[in-house]
Amino acid sequence: MASQMLGDVASDASARALATEIAAYAGRNPKSFERFRAATAVMPGGNTRSSLYYDPFPLSIVRGQGCRVWDADGHEYLDFLGEFTAGVYGHSDAAIRAAIVSTLDQGINLSGQNALEAELARIVCDRFPSIDLVRFTNSGTEANLMALAAATVFTGRRKILVFEGAYHGGVLSFANGASPVNVPHEFLLSTYNDLDRTLRLIEAHRKELAAILVEPMIGSGGCIPADAEFLQALRVAATAEGALLIFDEVMTSRLAPGGRQQALNVTPDLCTLGKYVGGGMSFGAFGGRSDVMQQFDPRRPGALPHAGTFNNNVVTMSAGIAGLTKVFIPAAVQALNARGDALRTRLNGLCRERGARFQFTGIGSLMSAHATDGLIRTPSDAARGDAGVKALFFFDMLNRGVYLAPKGFIALSLPIGDDEVDHFVDAVESFLEARKHLIVTR
């Protein structure tokens, strides 16, 4: 069976094992296949989110509850994908559901400003150190686009420094260099955690540099944390050259009560948010220094426009307020990330004990699996892993009832408890034992 997951497979043995696992997966999921085949008649590839596609066909998920999801064929999975960090609340949290239902009783599209947007804005400004003023969008992609617009107008410059392997949204993706659908900013591409190269680029383009856009931890590129010294140096360089430092905290904002910026005590000029901050609804936000954000004040002559029919939609506003004030409060943030750190420590301990070319990187409740035992500080380091073994891990986990991302991305949600963690650890241990002929080095 032809499969893009078979690309760059390191050995015939891993290719055979992967083919067997895929065949078992296909055999278990005929209804998901039928749904996929029907969808191809009306959507290219039967898909409207590229990150959820994988060969031979993706699972069709029909419902979720707590930290579990069920597919069209009735199989139950522990949800360790967590909607790529947006699902931190799990499925159908009672407080968020109650807030949404109560809000719906007052009308959905109100065609005007509402009290909820200012309430959520105050919560966001109070929570994240860098945000004096904030505006809402419908996704992290939109938030990053608007932050870049703010930076280029404010500085009067055009160039944006970004990093190989970073993902800032569907039109701001830099895996394998750059995506052909990226917006046409003048991008400078540097290497994540390579301070010398980055500072040389900044110096070479100092008079043209509008902004440095960086994730405090590379997310979809493999959960690779930035060195604290790297981010601190970017802060100093941006200030010195008159550029704006933008932290993309769409993912990393959940790693501390005030985001990764708070944990590292590095304050960017602008910050972008998304995912869970809207209570699991479609959401994005960009905010930061008052003088930069005042550009969007419509009372000012020449104010920058920023529209969006659903920017202040009452469903998202009410869900976000409930989520941040009743559910994902600071104590819950700290407890979830401590649970994630403990899980990653256990998993990496298993890999070391077995001498496996396998590891998990990340911070707190976000992590990613890698089929290599080498040091991972850049997305290029991660790409050197065995693609066949990594694909094998993904299908092996699905067949053991653990739902995660094809690239090995893992996000814990609040409903995940000790039993679910133990189940996942047991599944990984079983995988390492079953595939030791492929990944054990001693």
Side-chain angles (χ1 to χ4, degrees):
M1 180 180 294
S3 170
Q4 71 181 42
M5 302 294 288
L6 293 172
D8 300 323
V9 174
S11 69
D12 289 342
S14 61
R16 288 193 299 271
L18 179 55
T20 298
E21 205 69 45
I22 289 175
Y25 166 84
R28 293 178 71 241
N29 295 290
K31 291 183 180 178
S32 281
F33 174 68
E34 286 303 318
R35 288 190 175 204
F36 167 71
R37 187 167 64 176
T40 60
V42 289
M43 292 187 288
N47 173 269
T48 193
R49 289 179 64 190
S50 298
S51 59
L52 292 180
Y53 179 77
Y54 45 89
D55 282 339
F57 58 87
L59 284 179
S60 177
I61 302 300
V62 297
R63 70 181 181 96
Q65 183 66 43
C67 61
R68 288 169 166 76
V69 293
W70 286 261
D71 66 23
D73 290 276
H75 304 124
E76 178 183 328
Y77 302 86
L78 292 178
D79 184 1
F80 275 83
L81 174 55
E83 189 58 291
F84 292 94
T85 82
V88 71
Y89 303 107
H91 303 282
S92 302
D93 177 87
I96 294 173
R97 182 183 177 89
I100 292 172
V101 171
S102 175
T103 298
L104 292 178
D105 289 339
Q106 307 304 314
I108 301 176
N109 299 314
L110 301 182
S111 304
Q113 290 189 239
N114 59 75
L116 295 171
E117 59 195 281
E119 185 177 353
L120 181 57
R122 170 50 55 199
I123 294 166
V124 169
C125 289
D126 288 346
R127 188 150 176 160
F128 297 99
S130 66
I131 300 182
D132 299 326
L133 297 170
V134 67
R135 288 182 75 91
F136 298 133
T137 65
N138 292 280
S139 68
T141 299
E142 290 180 39
N144 281 314
L145 288 170
M146 294 308 302
L148 292 180
T152 55
V153 175
F154 185 82
T155 62
R157 302 171 179 178
R158 298 301 307 167
K159 293 190 176 179
I160 310 295
L161 178 62
V162 293
F163 296 91
E164 295 163 352
Y167 177 82
H168 302 289
V171 291
L172 290 165
S173 178
F174 301 94
N176 304 314
S179 167
V181 301
N182 276 356
V183 290
H185 280 293
E186 297 179 36
F187 292 111
L188 304 171
L189 201 57
S190 191
T191 303
Y192 199 69
N193 278 328
D194 187 335
L195 184 56
D196 290 342
R197 181 188 176 195
T198 301
L199 292 180
R200 287 196 301 271
L201 265 176
I202 293 172
E203 174 63 25
H205 299 273
R206 55 193 298 266
K207 294 183 179 180
E208 306 161 292
L209 187 64
I212 302 167
L213 176 59
V214 63
E215 296 173 271
M217 178 181 73
I218 289 275
S220 64
C223 287
I224 304 168
D227 298 335
E229 296 79 7
F230 179 70
L231 295 178
Q232 290 162 353
L234 294 183
R235 173 66 282 172
V236 171
T239 300
E241 306 304 347
L244 299 186
L245 178 62
I246 306 173
F247 274 8
D248 178 345
E249 291 234 51
V250 170
M251 284 191 175
T252 61
S253 60
R254 60 179 270 167
L255 297 178
R260 191 68 180 148
Q261 59 188 273
Q262 180 191 55
L264 295 173
N265 195 28
V266 178
T267 304
D269 299 298
L270 291 171
C271 169
T272 58
L273 304 171
K275 307 288 189 183
Y276 76 93
V277 180
M281 304 296 108
S282 298
F283 177 82
F286 67 104
R289 279 171 35 189
S290 178
D291 56 340
V292 180
M293 293 300 297
Q294 289 286 1
Q295 295 179 107
F296 296 94
D297 185 341
R299 300 170 299 178
R300 297 176 51 158
L304 298 182
H306 172 227
T309 300
F310 297 103
N311 287 352
N312 67 337
N313 79 86
V314 294
V315 174
T316 295
M317 300 296 102
S318 60
I321 292 165
L324 294 178
T325 62
K326 297 180 180 180
V327 188
F328 206 42
I329 59 176
V333 176
Q334 293 163 343
L336 181 65
N337 285 296
R339 183 180 296 277
D341 284 332
L343 170 59
R344 191 172 54 260
T345 297
R346 289 178 67 184
L347 294 173
N348 283 327
L350 281 176
C351 295
R352 287 192 299 271
E353 289 167 10
R354 292 175 172 274
R357 292 190 300 273
F358 214 83
Q359 64 178 294
F360 296 81
T361 62
I363 301 170
S365 58
L366 303 179
M367 64 193 78
S368 189
H370 301 276
T372 176
D373 56 357
L375 180 65
I376 298 176
R377 297 185 67 250
T378 71
S380 294
D381 295 335
R384 296 190 187 100
D386 188 321
V389 169
K390 192 168 184 177
L392 187 60
F393 175 73
F394 168 67
F395 282 105
D396 186 285
M397 289 297 104
L398 285 184
N399 289 336
R400 295 179 191 274
V402 177
Y403 189 67
L404 40 73
K407 292 184 178 181
F409 179 84
I410 297 159
L412 273 63
S413 63
L414 291 170
I416 289 176
D418 291 342
D419 289 345
E420 290 78 21
V421 166
D422 288 344
H423 180 96
F424 182 40
V425 172
D426 289 345
V428 173
E429 186 171 22
S430 296
F431 166 77
L432 295 176
E433 175 62 27
R435 309 302 178 184
K436 61 184 177 182
H437 60 292
L438 299 175
I439 58 178
V440 173
T441 60
R442 64 170 184 263

